[in-house]
Amino acid sequence: MKVLVTGGTGYIGSHTCVELLNNNFDVAIIDNLSNSSIEVISRIYKITGKKPIFYNTDICNLNELNCIFDKEKFDAVIHFAALKSISESVSEPLKYYTNNVFGTVNVCEAIKRNGVKNIVLSSSAAVYGINSGKAIKENAALLPHNPYGRTKLIQEQIITDFANTNKIGYVILRYFNPIGAHKSGLIGENPLGEPSNLMPYISQVASGRLKKLNVFGNDYNTHDGTGVRDYIHVMDLALGHINALKKLLDIPEYKLICNIGSGHGYSVLDMIKSFESVTGIKINFGYAKRRAGDIDICLADTELAQKELGWKTSYNINDMCADEWNWQKLNPKGFLS
Ligand code: NAD
Ligand code: UDP
């Protein structure tokens, strides 16, 4: 079985490629390296002993996509390639709509032209944008708060509309907060510039690359006043894709939209404490005002993923912090080190 992974040199894509290769799928990656490094391919090889085929291609270029699809004859596509910075999506919305929406239309065009029957899409909890404090079910209202979240919702709508009329199976996975890294420390999240997410920020403060963590708000309606999120180990997330793919290959025209989270909520202070206890390193932090657009609690209801995909998380919060730190320690400057 040959799988195309768009965005496969990125953070989640690279960990998923490792699990795909470990599960004996043939893997081809399309990535324009706009937010990743070619070094990832050799790291995947070091971990798995197998090298994925790599195309340095932009999914916005339909001619190039078609040539690759003609040559490779894929059984399934896992579509990760997207821009993901919420703040940049506010300052440059058209860049996000072009890349994420137009790019997804092109991937669907290539799938249709080549008769591929299965697609897995990376979506996000950002499509919900609600703040009830309770675990979110998949049938909750879809009200994204920012252009990034809206591009993810439009991606979902493109896939479902397209799949329904073209007899294609799909699994759309709405990730909550992926963190951590592969145990080897050879691949991990590689933010270019100052990280905007919590965990890479904490680990760069620990390594001395950044001076101080700003905790955005301590007056939220949570157990300690700081924002609560549902963190998930990236290797658990990678395995969710394998289960999704197997389900699609087993059941023709299978259709599912489901949350991928742990169902457990941790505050910013919980994350700092866990990181400190696992690594023995004190994190220098101070309180700052709330970040625009943030909500108190964002937590997944995980029942559907368990029932449909037979999937649930296996790593705990200490594992996530330990693996995040191992990656940061071994690669203090990301893939440049
Ligand atoms: P990432 O930036 O590390 O990986 C995305 C990859 O896609 C990068 O390697 C980038 O170079 C590539 N890419 C972007 N635009 C492209 C284009 N036009 N053509 C070819 N390649 C392109 O991000 P990630 O964290 O691995 O996220 C993967 C997917 O998961 C994205 O769709 C993102 O929206 C979604 N997601 C991520 C998170 C998260 O917290 N990391 C949470 C929810 C959903
Ligand atoms: N956060 C923080 N300082 C940072 C980055 C994030 O206090 O430098 C907080 C943020 O306000 C939220 C939590 O950490 O409560 C998770 O933020 P992240 O950006 O990682 O995920 P998201 O908000 O997109 O779920």
Side-chain angles (χ1 to χ4, degrees):
M1 287 285 164
K2 191 183 277 185
V3 182
L4 168 65
V5 183
T6 74
T9 45
Y11 173 45
I12 303 168
S14 58
H15 291 80
T16 304
C17 286
V18 164
E19 285 303 346
L20 286 167
L21 292 165
N22 285 342
N23 279 273
N24 294 319
F25 288 98
D26 292 328
V27 175
I29 292 174
I30 292 179
D31 201 300
N32 65 359
L33 302 178
S34 58
N35 198 36
S36 55
S37 163
I38 188 67
E39 171 66 15
V40 170
I41 301 295
S42 355
R43 304 279 180 103
I44 291 175
Y45 177 68
K46 272 191 192 155
I47 296 170
T48 63
K50 298 175 191 169
K51 214 165 200 165
I53 300 164
F54 177 71
Y55 293 97
N56 183 347
T57 297
D58 196 308
I59 56 166
C60 293
N61 186 331
L62 184 56
N63 283 341
E64 281 187 30
L65 274 189
N66 280 333
C67 290
I68 297 167
F69 272 74
D70 283 347
K71 194 168 156 209
E72 300 289 351
K73 307 282 176 233
F74 299 115
D75 298 288
V77 173
I78 306 184
H79 180 31
F80 291 104
L83 298 172
K84 63 167 181 177
S85 159
I86 290 176
S87 55
E88 192 188 36
S89 80
V90 173
S91 56
E92 293 192 63
L94 296 184
K95 183 174 167 187
Y96 274 67
Y97 283 103
T98 303
N99 196 74
N100 296 1
V101 175
F102 177 60
T104 299
V105 171
N106 277 351
V107 170
C108 290
E109 288 282 9
I111 285 177
K112 184 176 168 195
R113 182 169 172 269
N114 288 275
V116 180
K117 289 291 168 208
N118 306 292
I119 180 162
V120 180
L121 172 73
S122 297
S123 188
S124 166
V127 298
Y128 295 117
I130 58 161
N131 188 18
S132 70
K134 295 204 187 90
I136 304 171
K137 280 194 185 294
E138 287 79 356
N139 60 6
L142 301 174
L143 295 166
H145 279 322
N146 48 60
Y148 166 72
R150 283 189 275 279
T151 67
K152 298 314 284 183
L153 182 55
I154 298 169
Q155 283 187 324
E156 289 195 3
Q157 291 163 338
I158 293 168
I159 298 294
T160 52
D161 286 344
F162 162 70
N164 286 336
T165 47
N166 289 280
K167 299 193 180 314
I168 286 165
Y170 63 82
V171 175
I172 294 175
L173 301 175
R174 292 180 180 153
Y175 316 152
F176 279 63
N177 289 60
I179 60 169
H182 188 266
K183 276 254 165 294
S184 62
L186 285 166
I187 53 174
E189 192 171 8
N190 186 40
L192 304 174
E194 191 171 307
S196 54
N197 294 114
L198 179 66
M199 275 315 280
Y201 213 104
I202 291 180
S203 60
Q204 289 195 17
V205 170
S207 73
R209 191 167 163 189
L210 293 170
K211 283 202 165 57
K212 181 180 163 192
L213 169 74
N214 283 317
V215 175
F216 297 139
N218 58 352
D219 56 352
Y220 283 107
N221 186 19
T222 61
H223 62 274
D224 59 20
T226 66
V228 167
R229 297 290 182 273
D230 184 327
Y231 295 94
I232 169 177
H233 196 295
V234 67
M235 291 310 294
D236 273 333
L237 181 53
L239 283 173
H241 292 79
I242 305 300
N243 287 20
L245 198 55
K246 287 183 175 164
K247 195 86 187 213
L248 282 168
L249 295 171
D250 272 0
I251 304 175
E253 291 180 55
Y254 179 73
K255 293 175 178 26
L256 178 70
I257 301 181
C258 82
N259 290 337
I260 291 284
S262 71
H264 303 292
Y266 293 95
S267 71
V268 177
L269 294 183
D270 292 334
M271 298 307 288
I272 295 172
K273 275 181 215 143
S274 172
F275 191 93
E276 287 180 339
S277 81
V278 163
T279 63
I281 300 169
K282 198 104 197 94
I283 298 301
N284 181 25
F285 74 90
Y287 293 109
K289 65 178 180 12
R290 288 181 174 204
R291 185 173 64 178
D294 269 358
I295 57 177
D296 304 55
I297 299 178
C298 185
L299 204 57
D301 182 300
T302 60
E303 207 182 309
L304 190 62
Q306 287 189 38
K307 185 169 147 250
E308 283 293 319
L309 300 178
W311 175 92
K312 63 180 167 75
T313 54
S314 59
Y315 293 90
N316 66 31
I317 203 69
N318 288 342
D319 301 326
M320 296 183 218
C321 290
D323 292 339
E324 181 89 29
W325 175 234
N326 186 43
W327 153 252
Q328 177 65 40
K329 201 173 48 182
L330 295 174
N331 306 269
K333 293 183 187 147
F335 287 108
L336 298 173
S337 16

